[in-house]
Amino acid sequence: NFFDSVLDMSPCDVILVGLKTTQNHLLKELLPPVLKKGTIVILIQNGLGAEEDLKLQFPDISVSGGVAQILSFKKAPGLVVHQQLGNLALGAYGEKEIPLLSQITEDFNRTGRISCIQRDLALSRWTKLVWNIPFNGLSVVLNARTDAMVQDKNIRKLVKEMMEEVVKGAEKCGVSLPDHIVSDQIRITEKMTPYSPSMKLDFENNRPMEIRYMYEKPVEIAKRCGYYMSKVDMLASQLRFFEEKGIRL
C-alpha cells in the first residue's frame, strides 16, 4: 500500500526511515501518527548520533539503526540506479536486544535480494565512517571521484591518515575496529567501480550535505571520550564553508 500522508496510515509495528539525515527534522511530524506501543523505528542512514537525537525526542520508542553497504544513486525522481553491493546491518540502540529485530532481519533475507545481518550498531556505524568520512568530504572539496583520489599518492596518504584518525576516535569511544581496516578499505576502493559518493552528488545537485551526522557529530562524540579528530573537523569546516557560501566547483 502507498500513502501520500502518514495521517492516512495506521500505526505500524516497524518504521524504516530512509531519509537523508538532513531531513531528520521532519521526523517529529512524520512519526507520531504511525507510532504505537512496541513500534520499532530503524534509521537506515549514514553517520553517527542520529539514534541518540531521535531517542531524546521520543524517549518511549524502541530505536535501532541500519547501515547499508551499497553503491547507488538517484538518477531521476523515482529512479535509483544500483551499481554494486547491497548489504544491510541492523543493530539496536540503547537496548541489549530487541526481539522484533531478529524477525526483521529474517524478512530482509527472505526477499533473496538483500543480505541482512544483526551487528553491534556502534561497530557498524564507526566501520562505515572509516570510508565515508574521507571519501565523501574530499570528493566535494577536490571535485574528484573515488578512482582519482586513490590513484593520487598525496590524496591517498591523506585518506589513510583520516581513516586512521577515525579508527582512533572509535577506539576512544570503546569500539575496536580491525587492525587491517584501513588497508582493506583503500584496497576495496581501488577495485571499486569509479564512484561519486553521495555527498558529491548532493553537492552537485544543490542539495544539503550530511555534514552534521557524518562529520560534526562524530567529532563531538569522540571529543566526549577524550579524543579530537582534527583532520575530520577541518574537513567539516571546509564543507560548511562550501555550503553556507553557496560555492560550486
Side-chain angles (χ1 to χ4, degrees):
N1 297 319
F2 296 85
F3 301 91
D4 291 325
S5 170
V6 291
L7 298 177
D8 299 327
M9 297 172 64
S10 301
C12 302
D13 297 311
V14 181
I15 299 171
L16 304 177
V17 178
L19 297 170
K20 288 271 189 178
T21 55
T22 52
Q23 301 298 311
N24 278 12
H25 61 279
L26 299 174
L27 294 177
K28 64 177 181 284
E29 298 173 3
L30 291 174
L31 288 180
V34 289
L35 293 176
K36 65 177 183 179
K37 185 176 180 180
T39 295
I40 177 173
V41 179
I42 305 175
L43 302 181
I44 304 179
Q45 299 182 317
N46 282 327
L48 186 71
E51 290 87 7
E52 178 184 27
D53 289 350
L54 184 64
K55 192 71 174 176
L56 289 173
Q57 282 186 294
F58 298 94
D60 298 326
I61 66 172
S62 290
V63 177
S64 292
V67 176
Q69 298 288 346
I70 184 170
L71 301 185
S72 63
F73 66 94
K74 184 170 70 174
K75 187 172 183 179
L79 178 61
V80 174
V81 177
H82 178 198
Q83 293 176 287
Q84 282 183 286
L85 306 177
N87 306 320
L88 184 63
L90 304 179
Y93 174 78
E95 301 177 52
K96 287 188 177 179
E97 186 177 346
I98 300 177
L100 187 55
L101 207 56
S102 296
Q103 180 63 55
I104 296 165
T105 303
E106 291 176 17
D107 288 343
F108 272 119
N109 285 319
R110 198 176 292 119
T111 67
R113 294 180 176 272
I114 300 172
S115 175
C116 186
I117 61 171
Q118 276 187 257
R119 189 186 190 197
D120 178 79
L121 181 59
L123 176 62
S124 293
R125 292 228 171 274
W126 278 106
T127 297
K128 191 170 184 183
L129 283 174
V130 172
W131 192 94
N132 266 349
I133 280 178
F135 282 110
N136 269 278
L138 289 175
S139 73
V140 173
V141 300
L142 298 174
N143 191 24
R145 295 187 312 183
T146 52
D147 55 327
M149 288 186 275
V150 291
Q151 288 167 11
D152 183 276
K153 66 177 183 179
N154 293 315
I155 301 307
R156 184 189 180 98
K157 179 175 179 290
L158 177 59
V159 165
K160 181 175 180 291
E161 290 171 351
M162 293 188 72
M163 285 185 170
E164 290 169 347
E165 194 171 87
V166 175
V167 171
K168 186 70 172 179
E171 181 185 329
K172 290 294 185 178
C173 293
V175 177
S176 180
L177 300 179
D179 294 337
H180 51 81
I181 189 169
V182 171
S183 57
D184 284 353
Q185 292 292 323
I186 292 175
R187 186 164 52 251
I188 288 168
T189 309
E190 287 176 321
K191 297 177 180 179
M192 187 185 293
T193 300
Y195 184 64
S196 291
S198 59
M199 185 168 282
K200 188 174 193 297
L201 297 177
D202 287 339
F203 177 74
E204 291 174 345
N205 288 279
N206 202 28
R207 296 190 292 259
M209 294 184 286
E210 295 187 280
I211 303 169
R212 179 64 182 150
Y213 288 104
M214 203 181 293
Y215 293 90
E216 294 171 344
K217 284 288 283 189
V219 169
E220 290 173 12
I221 290 169
K223 266 188 177 179
R224 284 185 219 159
C225 299
Y227 182 69
Y228 177 45
M229 299 193 296
S230 59
K231 288 184 174 65
V232 178
D233 198 18
M234 180 178 69
L235 185 52
S237 297
Q238 292 172 322
L239 293 168
R240 277 291 178 206
F241 181 81
F242 272 44
E243 189 161 83
E244 291 172 3
K245 300 298 182 184
I247 292 173
R248 290 292 173 264
L249 299 177

